[in-house]
PDB file of all heavy atoms in Angstrom:
ATOM      1  N   ARG S 165     107.292 238.714  51.468  1.00 52.00           N
ATOM      2  CA  ARG S 165     108.285 238.281  50.497  1.00 52.00           C
ATOM      3  C   ARG S 165     108.828 236.911  50.879  1.00 52.00           C
ATOM      4  O   ARG S 165     109.248 236.697  52.015  1.00 52.00           O
ATOM      5  CB  ARG S 165     109.398 239.332  50.458  1.00 52.00           C
ATOM      6  CG  ARG S 165     110.529 239.096  49.518  1.00 52.00           C
ATOM      7  CD  ARG S 165     110.117 239.142  48.061  1.00 52.00           C
ATOM      8  NE  ARG S 165     109.342 240.320  47.685  1.00 52.00           N
ATOM      9  CZ  ARG S 165     109.875 241.511  47.411  1.00 52.00           C
ATOM     10  NH1 ARG S 165     111.146 241.698  47.476  1.00 52.00           N
ATOM     11  NH2 ARG S 165     109.114 242.496  47.048  1.00 52.00           N
ATOM     12  N   PRO S 166     108.781 235.925  49.977  1.00 54.00           N
ATOM     13  CA  PRO S 166     109.283 234.597  50.339  1.00 54.00           C
ATOM     14  C   PRO S 166     110.787 234.642  50.606  1.00 54.00           C
ATOM     15  O   PRO S 166     111.512 235.413  49.990  1.00 54.00           O
ATOM     16  CB  PRO S 166     108.973 233.757  49.089  1.00 54.00           C
ATOM     17  CG  PRO S 166     108.770 234.733  47.990  1.00 54.00           C
ATOM     18  CD  PRO S 166     108.325 236.022  48.590  1.00 54.00           C
ATOM     19  N   SER S 167     111.235 233.822  51.532  1.00 65.00           N
ATOM     20  CA  SER S 167     112.663 233.835  51.863  1.00 65.00           C
ATOM     21  C   SER S 167     113.460 233.054  50.825  1.00 65.00           C
ATOM     22  O   SER S 167     114.642 233.289  50.639  1.00 65.00           O
ATOM     23  CB  SER S 167     112.894 233.256  53.252  1.00 65.00           C
ATOM     24  OG  SER S 167     112.281 231.985  53.313  1.00 65.00           O
ATOM     25  N   ARG S 168     112.797 232.123  50.091  1.00 89.00           N
ATOM     26  CA  ARG S 168     113.496 231.388  49.041  1.00 89.00           C
ATOM     27  C   ARG S 168     113.729 232.311  47.843  1.00 89.00           C
ATOM     28  O   ARG S 168     113.235 233.431  47.805  1.00 89.00           O
ATOM     29  CB  ARG S 168     112.656 230.182  48.614  1.00 89.00           C
ATOM     30  CG  ARG S 168     111.288 230.591  48.137  1.00 89.00           C
ATOM     31  CD  ARG S 168     110.493 229.432  47.600  1.00 89.00           C
ATOM     32  NE  ARG S 168     109.092 229.779  47.495  1.00 89.00           N
ATOM     33  CZ  ARG S 168     108.560 230.591  46.609  1.00 89.00           C
ATOM     34  NH1 ARG S 168     109.320 231.191  45.722  1.00 89.00           N
ATOM     35  NH2 ARG S 168     107.283 230.851  46.606  1.00 89.00           N
ATOM     36  N   ARG S 169     114.450 231.796  46.851  1.00 96.00           N
ATOM     37  CA  ARG S 169     114.688 232.604  45.657  1.00 96.00           C
ATOM     38  C   ARG S 169     113.348 232.891  44.973  1.00 96.00           C
ATOM     39  O   ARG S 169     112.479 232.019  44.899  1.00 96.00           O
ATOM     40  CB  ARG S 169     115.601 231.843  44.705  1.00 96.00           C
ATOM     41  CG  ARG S 169     117.008 231.708  45.278  1.00 96.00           C
ATOM     42  CD  ARG S 169     118.018 231.421  44.205  1.00 96.00           C
ATOM     43  NE  ARG S 169     117.775 230.170  43.512  1.00 96.00           N
ATOM     44  CZ  ARG S 169     118.324 229.844  42.342  1.00 96.00           C
ATOM     45  NH1 ARG S 169     119.127 230.680  41.730  1.00 96.00           N
ATOM     46  NH2 ARG S 169     118.076 228.683  41.779  1.00 96.00           N
ATOM     47  N   ARG S 170     113.206 234.090  44.450  1.00 97.00           N
ATOM     48  CA  ARG S 170     111.935 234.434  43.783  1.00 97.00           C
ATOM     49  C   ARG S 170     111.912 233.812  42.398  1.00 97.00           C
ATOM     50  O   ARG S 170     112.866 233.937  41.630  1.00 97.00           O
ATOM     51  CB  ARG S 170     111.778 235.948  43.664  1.00 97.00           C
ATOM     52  CG  ARG S 170     111.459 236.599  44.984  1.00 97.00           C
ATOM     53  CD  ARG S 170     111.360 238.088  44.792  1.00 97.00           C
ATOM     54  NE  ARG S 170     110.072 238.498  44.260  1.00 97.00           N
ATOM     55  CZ  ARG S 170     109.868 239.637  43.600  1.00 97.00           C
ATOM     56  NH1 ARG S 170     110.861 240.448  43.352  1.00 97.00           N
ATOM     57  NH2 ARG S 170     108.658 239.955  43.179  1.00 97.00           N
ATOM     58  N   ARG S 171     110.789 233.203  42.091  1.00 98.00           N
ATOM     59  CA  ARG S 171     110.641 232.550  40.780  1.00 98.00           C
ATOM     60  C   ARG S 171     110.152 233.586  39.774  1.00 98.00           C
ATOM     61  O   ARG S 171     109.119 234.220  39.979  1.00 98.00           O
ATOM     62  CB  ARG S 171     109.649 231.386  40.885  1.00 98.00           C
ATOM     63  CG  ARG S 171     110.118 230.259  41.802  1.00 98.00           C
ATOM     64  CD  ARG S 171     108.968 229.364  42.183  1.00 98.00           C
ATOM     65  NE  ARG S 171     107.887 230.143  42.792  1.00 98.00           N
ATOM     66  CZ  ARG S 171     106.681 229.676  43.060  1.00 98.00           C
ATOM     67  NH1 ARG S 171     106.359 228.444  42.764  1.00 98.00           N
ATOM     68  NH2 ARG S 171     105.760 230.447  43.623  1.00 98.00           N
ATOM     69  N   ILE S 172     110.918 233.721  38.675  1.00 98.00           N
ATOM     70  CA  ILE S 172     110.678 234.787  37.701  1.00 98.00           C
ATOM     71  C   ILE S 172     110.449 234.188  36.320  1.00 98.00           C
ATOM     72  O   ILE S 172     111.174 233.280  35.910  1.00 98.00           O
ATOM     73  CB  ILE S 172     111.948 235.686  37.606  1.00 98.00           C
ATOM     74  CG1 ILE S 172     112.350 236.254  38.964  1.00 98.00           C
ATOM     75  CG2 ILE S 172     111.781 236.763  36.542  1.00 98.00           C
ATOM     76  CD1 ILE S 172     111.457 237.292  39.517  1.00 98.00           C
ATOM     77  N   ILE S 189     118.239 240.835  36.742  1.00 98.00           N
ATOM     78  CA  ILE S 189     118.153 239.531  37.413  1.00 98.00           C
ATOM     79  C   ILE S 189     119.529 238.849  37.436  1.00 98.00           C
ATOM     80  O   ILE S 189     119.944 238.281  38.444  1.00 98.00           O
ATOM     81  CB  ILE S 189     117.072 238.677  36.717  1.00 98.00           C
ATOM     82  CG1 ILE S 189     115.713 239.189  37.200  1.00 98.00           C
ATOM     83  CG2 ILE S 189     117.234 237.181  36.997  1.00 98.00           C
ATOM     84  CD1 ILE S 189     114.553 238.730  36.398  1.00 98.00           C
ATOM     85  N   ARG S 191     122.346 240.137  37.653  1.00 97.00           N
ATOM     86  CA  ARG S 191     123.300 240.753  38.582  1.00 97.00           C
ATOM     87  C   ARG S 191     123.142 240.213  39.990  1.00 97.00           C
ATOM     88  O   ARG S 191     123.944 240.517  40.870  1.00 97.00           O
ATOM     89  CB  ARG S 191     123.088 242.280  38.596  1.00 97.00           C
ATOM     90  CG  ARG S 191     123.614 242.924  37.339  1.00 97.00           C
ATOM     91  CD  ARG S 191     123.115 244.356  37.209  1.00 97.00           C
ATOM     92  NE  ARG S 191     123.391 244.829  35.875  1.00 97.00           N
ATOM     93  CZ  ARG S 191     124.534 245.439  35.521  1.00 97.00           C
ATOM     94  NH1 ARG S 191     125.469 245.658  36.406  1.00 97.00           N
ATOM     95  NH2 ARG S 191     124.712 245.821  34.274  1.00 97.00           N
ATOM     96  N   ASN S 192     122.055 239.493  40.224  1.00 94.00           N
ATOM     97  CA  ASN S 192     121.828 238.950  41.568  1.00 94.00           C
ATOM     98  C   ASN S 192     121.234 237.545  41.459  1.00 94.00           C
ATOM     99  O   ASN S 192     120.103 237.297  41.894  1.00 94.00           O
ATOM    100  CB  ASN S 192     120.875 239.889  42.328  1.00 94.00           C
ATOM    101  CG  ASN S 192     120.945 239.672  43.815  1.00 94.00           C
ATOM    102  OD1 ASN S 192     121.650 238.765  44.282  1.00 94.00           O
ATOM    103  ND2 ASN S 192     120.215 240.473  44.571  1.00 94.00           N
ATOM    104  N   PRO S 193     121.982 236.616  40.851  1.00 93.00           N
ATOM    105  CA  PRO S 193     121.407 235.302  40.552  1.00 93.00           C
ATOM    106  C   PRO S 193     120.979 234.522  41.793  1.00 93.00           C
ATOM    107  O   PRO S 193     120.095 233.666  41.699  1.00 93.00           O
ATOM    108  CB  PRO S 193     122.535 234.571  39.804  1.00 93.00           C
ATOM    109  CG  PRO S 193     123.778 235.331  40.105  1.00 93.00           C
ATOM    110  CD  PRO S 193     123.385 236.723  40.425  1.00 93.00           C
ATOM    111  N   ASP S 194     121.562 234.839  42.952  1.00 95.00           N
ATOM    112  CA  ASP S 194     121.177 234.096  44.158  1.00 95.00           C
ATOM    113  C   ASP S 194     119.771 234.462  44.626  1.00 95.00           C
ATOM    114  O   ASP S 194     119.157 233.738  45.418  1.00 95.00           O
ATOM    115  CB  ASP S 194     122.156 234.384  45.304  1.00 95.00           C
ATOM    116  CG  ASP S 194     123.529 233.804  44.998  1.00 95.00           C
ATOM    117  OD1 ASP S 194     123.596 232.908  44.119  1.00 95.00           O
ATOM    118  OD2 ASP S 194     124.517 234.259  45.597  1.00 95.00           O
ATOM    119  N   ALA S 195     119.286 235.602  44.150  1.00 97.00           N
ATOM    120  CA  ALA S 195     117.967 236.053  44.611  1.00 97.00           C
ATOM    121  C   ALA S 195     116.832 235.543  43.736  1.00 97.00           C
ATOM    122  O   ALA S 195     115.672 235.575  44.140  1.00 97.00           O
ATOM    123  CB  ALA S 195     117.937 237.581  44.644  1.00 97.00           C
ATOM    124  N   TYR S 196     117.179 235.096  42.528  1.00 98.00           N
ATOM    125  CA  TYR S 196     116.116 234.747  41.572  1.00 98.00           C
ATOM    126  C   TYR S 196     116.340 233.369  40.961  1.00 98.00           C
ATOM    127  O   TYR S 196     117.473 232.916  40.781  1.00 98.00           O
ATOM    128  CB  TYR S 196     116.065 235.775  40.432  1.00 98.00           C
ATOM    129  CG  TYR S 196     115.944 237.193  40.907  1.00 98.00           C
ATOM    130  CD1 TYR S 196     117.023 238.067  40.850  1.00 98.00           C
ATOM    131  CD2 TYR S 196     114.740 237.656  41.437  1.00 98.00           C
ATOM    132  CE1 TYR S 196     116.922 239.369  41.295  1.00 98.00           C
ATOM    133  CE2 TYR S 196     114.626 238.966  41.886  1.00 98.00           C
ATOM    134  CZ  TYR S 196     115.722 239.817  41.814  1.00 98.00           C
ATOM    135  OH  TYR S 196     115.612 241.108  42.272  1.00 98.00           O
ATOM    136  N   GLU S 197     115.205 232.783  40.602  1.00 98.00           N
ATOM    137  CA  GLU S 197     115.232 231.500  39.912  1.00 98.00           C
ATOM    138  C   GLU S 197     114.379 231.708  38.659  1.00 98.00           C
ATOM    139  O   GLU S 197     113.226 232.135  38.772  1.00 98.00           O
ATOM    140  CB  GLU S 197     114.574 230.487  40.861  1.00 98.00           C
ATOM    141  CG  GLU S 197     114.473 229.105  40.380  1.00 98.00           C
ATOM    142  CD  GLU S 197     113.698 228.259  41.400  1.00 98.00           C
ATOM    143  OE1 GLU S 197     113.613 228.607  42.594  1.00 98.00           O
ATOM    144  OE2 GLU S 197     113.129 227.266  40.942  1.00 98.00           O
ATOM    145  N   ASP S 260     106.599 233.760  41.064  1.00 98.00           N
ATOM    146  CA  ASP S 260     106.273 234.844  41.994  1.00 98.00           C
ATOM    147  C   ASP S 260     106.092 236.171  41.269  1.00 98.00           C
ATOM    148  O   ASP S 260     105.432 237.078  41.770  1.00 98.00           O
ATOM    149  CB  ASP S 260     107.399 234.994  43.030  1.00 98.00           C
ATOM    150  CG  ASP S 260     107.576 233.722  43.842  1.00 98.00           C
ATOM    151  OD1 ASP S 260     106.577 233.269  44.443  1.00 98.00           O
ATOM    152  OD2 ASP S 260     108.684 233.164  43.839  1.00 98.00           O
TER     153      ASP S 260
END
Side-chain angles (χ1 to χ4, degrees):
R165 180 66 50 81
S167 53
R168 58 175 164 72
R169 292 200 298 164
R170 287 178 81 203
R171 296 163 305 170
I172 304 289
I189 283 165
R191 286 167 192 271
N192 199 356
D194 292 341
Y196 306 106
E197 180 184 338
D260 299 304

